[in-house]
Amino acid sequence: MPYHTFKCSECLPDRQKHAVIKGPGEDITSCLPLGNLNTIPGTITERGCAYCGAKHVIGTPMKDVIHMSHGPVGCTYDTWMTKRYISDNDNFQLKYTYATDMKEKHIVFGAEKVLKQNIHEAFDAFPNIKRMTLYQTCSSALIGDDMDAIAKQVMKERPDVDIFVCNAPGFGGTSQTGGHHKINIAWINNKVGTFEPEIKSKYTINYVGDYNIQGDCEIMTDFFQRMGIQVLSSFTGNGSYDDLRSMHKADLNVLECARSAEYICNELRVRYGTPRLDIDGFGFDLLAESLMKVAMFFGDDCVAKAKEIIDEEVARWKPELDWYAKRLKGKKICLWPGGSKLWHWAHVIEEEMGVKVVSVYSKFGHQGDFEKGIARCGEGALAIDDPNELEALEAMYELKPDCILTGMRPGEVAKKIRIPYLNIHAYHNGPYKGFEGWVRLARDLYNAIYSPVMNLAAIDISKDDFDTDTGFKTRTMLSDPGTPREELHTEHMYTGKMDIVTHLRGKTYEFPAPDKPVTDAV
Amino acid sequence: MSCEIKAKERAGIINPMYTCQPAGAQYASIGVEDCTAIVHGGQGCVMFVRLLFSQHLNENFDIASSSLHEDAAVLGAVHRIEGAVDVLLMRYPHVKVIPIITTCSTEIIGDDVEGVIRKLNKGLLKEKYADREVHLIPVHTPSFKGSQVTGYDVAVKAFLQHFAEKTEPNGKINLITGWVNPGDVTELKHLLRMMDVDATVLFEIENFDSPLMPDGSAVSHGSTTIEDMKGTANAIGTIALNKYEGGKAAEYLKEKFQVPAIIGPTPIGVRNTDTFLKNVSKMTGKPIPEALVRERGKAIDALQDLTHMFFADKRVAIFGHPDLVIGLAEFCLDLEMKPVLLLLGDDNPTYVKDPRLLAIQEHAEFDMEVITNADIFELEDRIKNKGLELDLILGHSKGRWVSIDNDIPMLRVGFPVFDRAGYYRHPTVGYNGAIWLAEEMANVIFNDMEKKKDREWLLAMW
């Protein structure tokens, strides 16, 4: 049996099929953990709620919008300033958040009136913002406020505003994933098709399932635009509300995170016939392949441009990636993200950085994510669904990884047992997409693993014999002990700038003219 | 010259100052040894609060969830508590204390937490865990009442209500700190040691600042024990430093066990620290020692270098927990500053009658406002749209954009602070807290003067 039983979970029969080890010659037909099932209470799960999946993951990266939650203040506060989804409009969506501040009297008598007052107040406070997303919470769902009706009333009273309502209360699903689904479907049902875009290029896409963490999305849309493709919308990183209403007009949906955003792509295919193309923005080979796939959809001129970009980027950054890969070779990592990175990265990080992925986990992934992830994993990899605190600790003791790639709080658990972590939700020094971004990830991984401070942490000064000859250690003294300086080729350590995103803003692109005018001028 | 105390006019919240009640109860729970709380509600109510603690303290804390899903929200969810208690006890052999912290969802659906605890006590705990000491404690913290502040207050009381037990006098005092940092507890314990006073510190959270040990053994957790809490009924007296965070528990011990209680003042600044020490001295009969006179002298010496030269007439806005804001405002007045705007962030109707605020109101030498039920937008709106001019902001990291976008220097103080390194390590209470606060306020002002070329020559020649 490929199922792996953690010692700490032997007492939980319901956990027995949530972890597997990919044995010799095994594939996903024989080793697939369960996924997306109700959580066992009391396990100290790392999962969040459906509200956060809808609001925090997908809704709030939209940049020109008042994001309001209808409920007590906590849901709003807790999901505010905990993720780095930046934007090119001075981060309005990061800076401001809105709660209707539901109190006991509202629970008893209903909160529709106060909701309406809130919406007006918010638009009054920010007269330049005319768009709003409105999120249900556990409280407003349970008392049954009709948020759609209130939104309609306000839109009638203020004809220049538009409001999107998302009914994804915290309890609505096994985890964040319930909210991803609900907001995808609500958006296509209510907003797609209600705005006509200006078509500037012969080639148009929606870039779907990227949330612009530290600028990932802006890196990718720069590539697409350099290829002559107009990005009609980005769902939802750095995304504009009205652009996202015009998703129906794109020629192609380019899908990145198929966990959180495949639903809208599938619906766009059914309702508007727009094809879906899944890509990977991470890793040299996968990214190059992805850019080529997108280009080939459109034609030769696009392909030529894509090739030019790939050649130029690879020539510029490959030596630096290789410098790190040489030193990361054989290092063991646990790839413990939320969902999609487990299959986006499982294979390519081994191929291109030389590390060994000894474990993958997913907080809210479905079996489909494990299919993709385990298929891309090497032999012996431990895959865990809905991990919990004790299982993660047991895995770390057993597998002795050199670094775990996860979120901040689990990272603090790892730190205490002297395992460095890399934040792959909010990133350390991202963006990590793009060719340069991938080098930045390798750099951050190298910096984490060869940390002189972590090197000190193992020494017990009361018992151990330790080196007293040197006042410092550099990273290369740890990664390449004894190697003469000239053989280190330190010129190939990352040479990019700290901020590689801001300079992309305001850049202009040339697009091939559209074949025929698509919109009628009024 | 007037000081108006009034509630925010808007109904809603733009950029909240506090989160909701369950977070406060969770913060109290991690202060107890061998304690893992179960939050009865959706998973986000735990996941994000754990992240928040981790943002502030750079440590991990274990808190469990009953993981409310759709079926339970519709059909009732007490069985999720039963499951969670069993799973937690099976897998965590050290756990003795399990507060069951409710949330908005489980309060609305009306789950009978007391009932399920009775059932578990009679059934599961007797049958399966007969040889273990296990305490299940109901903590009712619906998110639609109060805030994280009241949640903390409610939880401290719930713990003592469960444990406090009159036996023999223990000669100790109870010190209920309120929602503070590990650095504050270190400072408070230092003061008590200097006074030669034996105290039960609720909660003993110095270990929230825990090391990275060669053998990987360190875990961050509070260390208030069951015995500590039981003994609170047998103390000489209780001092609750914060009226709104632990005051309820002090009153409970007074009413139920006739343990004398002194509530406040928050020992921020020299004057309030003096009062605190005097209160300790009165309660225990122990004199204030010479060494503290010297320590106090160092603080006064440090403040004297800064007050009338740099601080005088500087206009300050303060937001955060109510006791913290009031304590800081009092300290600012001693430093000759003008705390022109105080923001208290929930709808507690007693704020407007707080004697400390009324005293500030009575003696205001300048126009000031105290806003209750406030959000951080109250501050920003006044700066951007109503001409409020400020020299300094005191508040937590969630208000960072107000400082950044309006180019006003800000000292991070309170909870949470996640955009400055290591602030949880430093005290804001006691004489050392007074020194730290004043010098850090001065340093952020100095940095700002240099950046803005505002008489930076003044700094080089003092």
Side-chain angles (χ1 to χ4, degrees), chain A residues 111-328:
Chain A
E112 290 179 356
K113 210 173 128 194
V114 79
L115 169 62
K116 191 169 173 184
Q117 193 183 343
N118 257 278
I119 298 173
H120 282 301
E121 280 176 0
F123 281 125
D124 290 343
F126 294 89
N128 296 326
I129 304 287
K130 302 290 183 192
R131 302 290 178 258
M132 174 180 283
T133 60
L134 201 52
Y135 304 92
Q136 201 180 39
T137 62
C138 290
S139 289
S140 45
L142 288 169
I143 66 170
D145 275 358
D146 188 348
M147 291 164 52
D148 292 283
I150 300 298
K152 273 187 198 131
Q153 282 177 25
V154 175
M155 280 157 67
K156 218 176 222 174
E157 290 164 26
R158 302 176 91 111
D160 58 343
V161 307
D162 198 81
I163 302 172
F164 166 66
V165 178
C166 174
N167 294 310
F171 55 75
T174 58
S175 62
Q176 291 92 320
T177 191
H180 302 155
H181 180 240
K182 289 190 170 78
I183 193 170
N184 269 251
I185 300 304
W187 187 262
I188 186 143
N189 280 348
N190 297 304
K191 291 302 161 199
V192 173
T194 62
F195 194 85
E196 289 305 314
E198 186 194 345
I199 303 293
K200 296 178 197 157
S201 171
K202 208 159 117 186
Y203 312 130
T204 57
I205 62 167
N206 299 312
Y207 182 47
V208 184
D210 180 299
Y211 306 104
N212 205 32
I213 306 299
Q214 287 197 24
D216 268 359
C217 179
E218 289 172 82
I219 296 286
M220 293 298 287
T221 50
D222 175 58
F223 289 142
F224 297 135
Q225 292 177 99
R226 279 156 69 187
M227 286 155 62
I229 300 167
Q230 182 187 358
V231 181
L232 282 191
S233 74
S234 52
F235 185 94
T236 56
N238 198 33
S240 164
Y241 186 98
D242 284 348
D243 290 349
L244 286 158
R245 292 163 76 190
S246 45
M247 289 180 92
H248 59 296
K249 279 292 161 68
D251 300 323
L252 178 68
N253 289 311
V254 175
L255 174 60
E256 192 78 54
C257 176
R259 173 66 285 119
S260 61
E262 68 168 350
Y263 316 104
I264 196 160
C265 288
N266 293 349
E267 287 303 312
L268 285 163
R269 183 170 52 196
V270 171
R271 300 183 197 190
Y272 299 97
T274 324
R276 152 186 166 177
L277 182 67
D278 289 33
I279 66 154
D280 299 84
F282 299 106
F284 276 45
D285 281 356
L286 288 181
L287 174 56
E289 213 176 88
S290 297
L291 294 179
M292 287 303 288
K293 279 200 294 192
V294 174
M296 282 189 284
F297 178 86
F298 289 112
D300 290 346
D301 52 338
C302 216
V303 168
K305 281 184 192 148
K307 274 192 176 145
E308 200 179 297
I309 291 170
I310 294 164
D311 290 346
E312 186 189 311
E313 293 276 330
V314 171
R316 169 69 182 86
W317 297 112
K318 190 71 174 30
E320 299 187 5
L321 179 68
D322 289 344
W323 191 93
Y324 290 103
K326 192 178 159 197
R327 285 147 183 94
L328 291 171

Side-chain angles (χ1 to χ4, degrees), chain B residues 166 233 235-237 250-261:
Chain B
K166 193 90 176 171
I236 304 168
E251 277 162 15
Y252 168 76
L253 291 174
K254 187 174 155 196
E255 279 160 29
K256 177 91 182 179
F257 303 105
Q258 293 75 52
V259 180

Side-chain angles (χ1 to χ4, degrees), chain A residues 39 80 96-97 121 409 412, chain B residues 11 43 60 80 380 398:
Chain A
T39 316
W80 179 41
Y96 298 100
T97 193
E121 280 176 0
R409 193 198 44 72
E412 297 294 337
Chain B
Q43 291 165 156
N60 165 66
R80 304 290 290 180
E380 175 163 343
K398 295 268 188 183

Side-chain angles (χ1 to χ4, degrees), chain B residues 76-335:
Chain B
V78 284
H79 64 288
R80 304 290 290 180
I81 299 177
E82 294 178 54
V85 168
D86 190 23
V87 168
L88 195 63
L89 288 174
M90 274 196 282
R91 297 172 85 231
Y92 292 84
H94 71 280
V95 167
K96 293 192 185 108
V97 183
I98 307 179
I100 314 287
I101 297 170
T102 65
T103 59
C104 47
S105 54
T106 51
E107 288 285 345
I108 293 173
I109 64 177
D111 272 357
D112 179 7
V113 176
E114 278 76 4
V116 77
I117 287 177
R118 274 197 301 276
K119 184 179 167 198
L120 284 165
N121 283 337
K122 278 190 210 151
L124 181 79
L125 296 189
K126 267 207 176 123
E127 288 152 17
K128 196 168 168 185
Y129 301 100
D131 54 343
R132 271 176 75 174
E133 179 184 8
V134 178
H135 300 270
L136 306 177
I137 305 168
V139 182
H140 289 280
T141 45
S143 322
F144 45 77
K145 273 177 92 170
S147 66
Q148 66 189 42
V149 176
T150 52
Y152 185 91
D153 203 33
V154 163
V156 178
K157 186 183 166 194
F159 277 117
L160 296 192
Q161 224 167 352
H162 180 89
F163 286 112
E165 191 182 292
K166 193 90 176 171
T167 48
E168 292 298 309
N170 62 13
K172 290 178 163 187
I173 65 163
N174 303 319
L175 182 72
I176 302 178
T177 63
W179 188 320
V180 293
N181 278 322
D184 292 312
V185 174
T186 305
E187 175 63 13
L188 291 165
K189 282 167 67 181
H190 159 72
L191 291 173
L192 293 170
R193 207 167 32 244
M194 303 290 277
M195 293 280 295
D196 194 27
V197 166
D198 199 3
T200 304
V201 178
L202 299 166
F203 292 98
E204 170 48 283
I205 61 163
E206 230 182 333
N207 282 338
F208 281 8
D209 182 8
S210 71
L212 198 174
M213 294 300 282
D215 64 356
S217 63
V219 174
S220 301
H221 213 279
S223 31
T224 293
T225 63
I226 292 174
E227 291 310 313
D228 288 340
M229 290 186 283
K230 278 187 178 165
T232 53
N234 305 311
I236 304 168
T238 304
I239 297 181
L241 300 180
N242 287 342
K243 180 175 178 178
Y244 303 105
E245 300 157 11
K248 257 198 192 77
E251 277 162 15
Y252 168 76
L253 291 174
K254 187 174 155 196
E255 279 160 29
K256 177 91 182 179
F257 303 105
Q258 293 75 52
V259 180
I262 298 174
I263 296 172
T266 312
I268 290 175
V270 172
R271 205 174 295 274
N272 282 329
T273 302
D274 293 350
T275 307
F276 167 65
L277 292 175
K278 194 61 153 180
N279 287 340
V280 173
S281 175
K282 273 191 211 155
M283 194 173 267
T284 59
K286 299 270 173 80
I288 298 173
E290 171 68 26
L292 283 178
V293 177
R294 211 180 141 72
E295 206 169 281
R296 179 177 184 271
K298 273 191 179 179
I300 302 233
D301 187 81
L303 303 185
Q304 191 57 22
D305 291 334
L306 298 168
T307 52
H308 54 281
M309 185 163 178
F310 289 110
F311 287 150
D313 298 326
K314 291 279 189 296
R315 299 163 58 82
V316 191
I318 311 172
F319 67 89
H321 284 194
D323 291 294
L324 178 74
V325 170
I326 295 169
L328 289 171
E330 291 177 323
F331 187 37
C332 285
L333 288 168
D334 264 346
L335 296 176

Side-chain angles (χ1 to χ4, degrees), chain B residues 56-69:
Chain B
H56 178 77
L57 292 156
N58 284 106
E59 301 287 351
N60 165 66
F61 296 93
D62 285 349
I63 305 167
S65 173
S66 67
S67 296
L68 194 75
H69 301 308

Side-chain angles (χ1 to χ4, degrees), chain A residues 337-482:
Chain A
S340 71
K341 284 192 190 81
L342 90 92
W343 43 265
H344 272 304
W345 290 13
H347 178 57
V348 71
I349 202 168
E350 287 199 350
E351 288 278 301
E352 298 187 357
M353 294 189 198
V355 295
K356 169 91 186 123
V357 177
V358 292
S359 176
V360 291
Y361 83 32
S362 172
K363 295 196 258 189
F364 52 78
H366 299 193
Q367 275 202 312
D369 297 287
F370 282 105
E371 276 184 46
K372 289 193 270 187
I374 293 171
R376 283 176 164 186
C377 269
E379 224 172 79
L382 167 65
I384 317 167
D385 164 63
D386 178 20
N388 58 62
E389 202 78 6
L390 288 177
E391 291 178 0
L393 263 173
E394 192 175 316
M396 285 192 280
Y397 282 125
E398 202 127 299
L399 301 168
K400 300 188 174 53
D402 296 288
C403 187
I404 67 166
L405 281 59
T406 189
M408 187 213 178
R409 193 198 44 72
E412 297 294 337
V413 180
K415 178 180 82 181
K416 288 291 193 232
I417 57 169
R418 295 195 282 105
I419 297 171
Y421 97 103
L422 195 63
N423 190 330
I424 55 165
H425 299 311
Y427 298 170
H428 273 54
N429 290 289
Y432 290 154
K433 272 189 181 163
F435 299 90
E436 184 176 2
W438 196 239
V439 178
R440 290 164 82 93
L441 175 64
R443 181 263 325 255
D444 284 359
L445 199 50
Y446 170 84
N447 289 350
I449 290 175
Y450 294 105
S451 149
V453 167
M454 203 50 118
N455 176 255
L456 288 174
I459 301 168
D460 184 339
I461 51 166
S462 72
K463 291 187 220 150
D464 299 344
D465 210 13
F466 53 91
D467 189 6
T468 52
D469 302 340
T470 172
F472 67 90
K473 284 257 165 68
T474 65
R475 291 162 295 174
T476 51
M477 284 163 76
L478 296 169
S479 65
D480 300 75

Side-chain angles (χ1 to χ4, degrees), chain B residues 27-40:
Chain B
Y27 196 78
S29 80
I30 58 175
V32 176
E33 196 172 79
D34 301 329
C35 170
T36 299
I38 293 170
V39 179
H40 187 35

